[in-house]
Structure formats: C-alpha cells, structure tokens
Amino acid sequence: MSEKPEIPNIFDPFGMMKQMRDTGMENWAKSMTDFVNSDTFTAAQAETLNAWLATSTPFRKLLEDTLSKSMQALHLPSTDDLARLADRLTNIEMRLDDMDAKLDQCLKPQHQEHSE
Amino acid sequence: MTETINSNSETSTSPFEDVCHQWHQATKNLDQFNQLLTRDAKIAQTPKQLVWALNKAKLYRYVPRVAKDKQHRVPLLLVFAIMNRPHVLDLRPGHSFVEYMVNHGYDVFLLDWGIPGLEDRDLKYDDYTLEYLPRVIRKLKAITNCQEFSMLGWCLGALISTMYASLRPEDGLKNLILLTAPLDFADKEAGGFTKWVNHPAFDPDRIVEAFGNVPGEVIDTGAKMLKPVENYVSNYINLWENIEDTSRVEAWHAMNTWVRDIIPMAGAGYRQLITEFYKENRLMEGTLELRGERVDLSRLQASLFNVIAEGDHITPPCQSERIMDLVGSQDKEVFRVRGGHIGIMAGRGAEKSTWPHIDAWLGARSE
C-alpha cells in the first residue's frame, strides 16, 4: 500500500522496442540470422542486386559519358585522365622508394664507419 | 494537519513533477544519443610517427614507452584488413591493443593501407602482397636495423600476411600471428558471406564494372546484414539503456566511430577475393598464383599463432583451422577465444582474454 505505483515513462522513445526485446528479441535475432542465411534470401539478394545494377548502370554510364565529353569540350581533364596521372605518380613513387632503399644500403657502411 | 502535508511534499513528488523529471531526463538523453550517433569519438591516439608512405599506404611507428634495454629485440608489424581502417587496433587510451603492446616493450609498426581512389581500382592481392608489403618490410628493417620481424595480420590482413609468409619465407619473418584469418573456403555453407557470394546469380564482375571500387556502404551493409537485429536494433537499444553509464558510452562511441568510418575496396581486389578465394578456394587447393608465383603454404616456416574467434560470423572458425595442417612451421599453436570477429580484440574482455596470450606467445619468441 505504501509503495508508490510505477509511472510509465511516456518520453522513452525506445520503450516499445525495449519491451519487444525483453519478450522475444533473442528469438527475433535468431530467426532473422537464419533468414539471411537461407537459400531464399541469398537468391533474392543476388537477383535484387542484379536488377538494380541492370537498371542503374545505363544511367550511370550516360552521366559519366556526358561529364567526360563536357570536360573534354572545356579542355579540362576527365576523372579517367586524373586516375591515369595518379597511377603514373604511384609508379614514380615506387621507383623513388627503391632508389631510397638502395641509397640507404650504400650509405650504411659509411654511417657505420662514422659511428665507430 | 499542516505539518503532515509539508512532510509528504518533502519525501514524495507529485505525478506532475515525475512527468517533468522524465521529460527533462529524456530530452537530455536524446540529445546525448544524437551526439553519439553523429559525432566522432577521438580514436587512435597512441603517439606515432609516419615513417614511410607509398600511394595511399602509410607505415607508422609507435613511440616507445619502455627503455631500450627492456624492449623486445624483434619488431612487430601490424597488418589490418583492406576494407576497414586499422584504428580498431588502437581504439582509445586505456583500451588499445597497440598501447598494450607498446607498454609491454614491443617496437610496434602499423601498416595503414589507406583509402583507395578510382586510380587504385586495379589493385589486386598480388600488389598488396608483392609490391607493398615487401617495401614496408624493407623499410621496417632499415629503421630498426633488425633483420628479423614479427607480423600480426587480422582478417584480410591475415590472408595477405599468410601469402607473403609463404612466398617470401627467407625474408626474416620470425613469428606470424593470424587473427580471424579467412583462408579456407571449402565449406560453401559456412557463414552468410560464403553462401551469398557462391550463389550462381551473384556476379562480382557486374559490381566492379558498375562501381570501379566497391563502395564502403555495400561492404558495410553486407557485414551488418549477417546479424541484422543485433546491428540495426539491439546495438542502439543497448546504448539507450546504458546512456547514463559513462564508461559503456565511451566504449560504444569509440567502436561506433570506427564502424562508421567505412572505405571502399579496390575493384580488382574484390573480384579476386570473391572468385579466387571464396569461390575457387585456390589458396587451400594450392593453385593460387600471385604474379606468376604459386603460393605454397608448406613453404611458410615462421612460428605460427593462429587466433580463432569461436563466435565469429564473418570468418567462421572452419575458415581458419585447416592451415595448421598445411604450413611448414614446426612451432605452431591454435588459440581459441570466446567472442566475435572484432570483439576478441576490441571488446571489453580483450584485455584479459586475448592480448595477454598474444603477448606471452610473442614475448617468448621476440628475443
């Protein structure tokens, strides 16, 4: 009688989800994990992905072509041009790295002499 | 009569006051909840120096905290996966594997593969294993003046480390630690990923053709969909329930910051991963070739410590077990830990359940 009746927290936005979890979250999690590992889900996922790629790829290609042509018309480098340039820079970086290592190797005996 | 009324008002609150208190607390908690979801925590704070860089890859050396004479002789190189940032190895001060190893006297190096750009869409495992990693190791040896080193690879970093150790056994690799290594894809029903990518309708070429590099969002969604309720629902309910517990909130925030930091995967590498590893299981079959060199696991001679997470749904234990029978190492050990793919190294129990075992095994072999 002396205990105060518990007042539900009406400002708890996760209250319902919490209640749901307390009652059956583990089962829900397990059944969802089983579902995503099922043949049905696997097939549906692959097909959905293919359908999305099939419909979106032509639009993406069109956009890329248009952008590339616009850049060309403005005498500006396209994304592919920049990618090629970056690729060449990486190759130069690799050569520099190799040269740096060789230089280290050549200087090593001198450093050792100095330290002795 | 008046006295009684006053006394009551001091010990209990009216329903209206309760509602006001709840409203105040709820708005405060919601504000914090929102901040935790939208702002980044400070992670990867252990002091380090950049010692080498090539393209997007960077090699860091952590500032030692132990006197030189008390340090282990053999340096340790950490190699993380290529589809996430390596900051999970150094999550937050007081709870960082890197910090732990530095404090235990290791000369720790971390390889950050970086974020691939469009120009990196043709990068394959051949490049990671035979172009980048040997250069990293060359630099590490030059800096430390030590011809031997230990390597710890995690997830796809473990795959790269294993291939390197098999292809270059004479390169000074003394100790190899594999964490949740996805190496053996013989069981096509093991785990969601394996099942998904082995479906005949799943075509990695189409994905790569469409995107160039596979967007981080695609990889992240795939990983989270393996346990959808835990990742999309329980994770946030747990945060809400513990929002007034500072230490839990800090841990959650740091982990969430790392999880949200998603990066794309180089297109050619993704295609190779799905086709040559997941579908054809070439590494275990002995038919994998990188740059024309066959990867023969029996050539791997380094001491091997294979850490397997028993509750791993991303790399199920069966994908990491069979390597023990195929390597040429005389000194090899499997260590099984309760926990998941990330939890065994970054979870709350890692400091007691995983890190000391790695330290004990490696420490005995680092002199």
Side-chain angles (χ1 to χ4, degrees):
Chain A
M1 278 300 278
S2 62
E3 264 184 30
K4 205 174 112 189
E6 197 178 313
I7 299 169
N9 189 344
I10 56 171
F11 300 111
D12 182 359
F14 291 89
M16 254 177 64
M17 289 169 87
K18 238 160 72 178
Q19 210 179 349
M20 238 167 70
R21 189 196 61 175
D22 290 345
T23 50
M25 189 69 120
E26 260 179 46
N27 289 337
W28 184 31
K30 195 181 172 306
S31 60
M32 280 303 287
T33 304
D34 289 344
F35 173 63
V36 297
N37 279 291
S38 69
D39 293 334
T40 318
F41 179 83
T42 305
Q45 190 196 39
E47 278 152 22
T48 310
L49 184 66
N50 283 341
W52 177 53
L53 290 174
T55 48
S56 65
T57 302
F59 292 106
R60 193 181 299 111
K61 281 217 165 121
L62 183 70
L63 187 71
E64 278 168 12
D65 286 349
T66 312
L67 196 65
S68 176
K69 279 174 188 160
S70 310
M71 300 298 256
Q72 210 174 359
L74 292 165
H75 301 290
L76 290 170
S78 67
T79 317
D80 277 342
D81 292 332
L82 290 173
R84 271 194 294 273
L85 185 65
D87 198 32
R88 289 183 66 181
L89 282 173
T90 303
N91 283 331
I92 294 169
E93 255 191 296
M94 281 188 182
R95 283 167 188 247
L96 283 172
D97 189 59
D98 291 343
M99 283 165 66
D100 184 46
K102 277 180 188 156
L103 197 65
D104 273 352
Q105 204 67 35
C106 294
L107 292 173
K108 213 174 180 179
Q110 285 181 21
H111 283 305
Q112 278 168 353
E113 272 175 32
H114 280 298
S115 62
E116 279 164 17
Chain B
M1 192 64 184
T2 315
E3 270 182 33
T4 315
I5 290 167
N6 281 344
S7 142
N8 277 347
S9 68
E10 271 168 27
T11 53
S12 67
T13 52
S14 68
F16 177 72
E17 280 174 304
D18 268 342
V19 169
C20 284
H21 175 73
Q22 284 177 11
W23 167 252
H24 174 71
Q25 195 60 41
T27 49
K28 204 174 125 192
N29 289 351
L30 263 180
D31 183 46
Q32 195 188 353
F33 192 75
N34 179 42
Q35 288 193 23
L36 289 167
L37 292 183
T38 51
R39 290 187 189 172
D40 287 343
K42 274 191 178 176
I43 56 173
Q45 293 185 72
T46 307
K48 58 182 183 288
Q49 291 174 323
L50 177 68
V51 292
W52 174 91
L54 175 65
N55 192 8
K56 315 298 182 317
K58 289 183 171 72
L59 179 67
Y60 294 99
R61 184 188 202 181
Y62 287 89
V63 178
R65 290 182 183 175
V66 173
K68 189 97 182 159
D69 58 321
K70 287 182 181 166
Q71 265 195 4
H72 294 289
R73 184 182 62 85
V74 181
L76 169 64
L77 172 64
L78 308 177
V79 182
F80 193 62
I82 51 173
M83 82 266 242
N84 289 107
R85 305 313 309 280
H87 310 318
V88 70
L89 285 157
D90 182 23
L91 213 49
R92 61 200 166 94
H95 192 81
S96 150
F97 175 68
V98 164
E99 187 186 52
Y100 181 90
M101 295 305 269
V102 171
N103 287 342
H104 281 76
Y106 294 91
D107 191 359
V108 181
F109 289 78
L110 172 75
L111 170 58
D112 181 354
W113 295 108
I115 304 169
L118 192 64
E119 65 276 15
D120 301 312
R121 61 190 159 194
D122 295 327
L123 279 181
K124 295 173 72 179
Y125 284 83
D126 307 46
D127 304 293
Y128 295 123
T129 312
L130 295 174
E131 284 287 358
Y132 285 75
L133 204 46
R135 284 187 163 84
V136 165
I137 288 157
R138 182 172 68 190
K139 191 69 190 178
L140 180 147
K141 285 180 183 175
I143 292 170
T144 59
N145 222 4
C146 181
Q147 289 308 302
E148 289 184 313
F149 64 99
S150 304
M151 187 154 58
L152 180 149
W154 191 354
C155 189
L156 291 180
L159 174 64
I160 295 170
S161 305
T162 305
M163 293 190 292
Y164 173 82
S166 306
L167 287 165
R168 299 285 180 270
E170 69 291 338
D171 219 7
L173 178 63
K174 191 170 189 297
N175 307 302
L176 176 63
I177 300 170
L178 303 178
L179 297 177
T180 63
L183 304 169
D184 180 9
F185 303 95
D187 184 353
K188 302 298 181 201
E189 294 291 315
F193 272 148
T194 319
K195 201 172 166 100
W196 295 350
V197 301
N198 276 295
H199 192 274
F202 184 85
D203 185 357
D205 290 337
R206 290 186 75 171
I207 300 174
V208 174
E209 196 191 338
F211 294 112
N213 289 332
V214 180
E217 289 79 2
V218 172
I219 298 163
D220 182 55
T221 307
K224 284 182 175 162
M225 278 304 287
L226 290 172
K227 284 200 170 184
V229 176
E230 286 87 340
N231 288 316
Y232 291 114
V233 185
S234 310
N235 185 30
Y236 300 102
I237 293 180
N238 287 338
L239 170 65
W240 180 257
E241 276 189 335
N242 295 297
I243 203 145
E244 287 161 41
D245 181 339
T246 316
S247 70
R248 278 182 178 231
V249 165
E250 275 176 10
W252 188 95
H253 196 200
M255 181 60 83
N256 195 54
T257 301
W258 175 74
V259 168
R260 285 195 324 139
D261 192 6
I262 51 175
I263 58 169
M265 190 194 263
Y270 176 80
R271 183 192 283 127
Q272 190 180 22
L273 178 69
I274 303 301
T275 312
E276 295 182 14
F277 295 96
Y278 272 91
K279 290 191 174 189
E280 297 170 2
N281 198 22
R282 287 192 193 180
L283 179 63
M284 287 292 139
E285 299 293 327
T287 54
L288 180 70
E289 284 189 7
L290 300 183
R291 297 262 165 101
E293 284 185 64
R294 194 173 76 85
V295 185
D296 181 0
L297 289 171
S298 67
R299 292 184 67 212
L300 196 158
Q301 298 296 326
S303 296
L304 178 64
F305 192 57
N306 188 2
V307 182
I308 295 174
E310 288 185 332
D312 196 338
H313 63 288
I314 293 173
T315 305
C318 65
Q319 293 183 353
S320 316
E321 285 162 347
R322 197 157 68 100
I323 187 176
M324 302 309 284
D325 303 328
L326 303 178
V327 293
S329 312
Q330 297 298 311
D331 174 21
K332 50 188 174 182
E333 188 179 333
V334 174
F335 178 62
R336 293 175 186 274
V337 198
R338 272 191 189 177
H341 192 69
I342 300 298
I344 60 157
M345 283 298 280
R348 272 181 294 159
E351 216 161 324
K352 286 177 184 161
S353 60
T354 315
W355 303 349
H357 294 277
I358 292 176
D359 173 37
W361 184 87
L362 189 60
R365 292 162 178 81
S366 293
E367 303 311 328

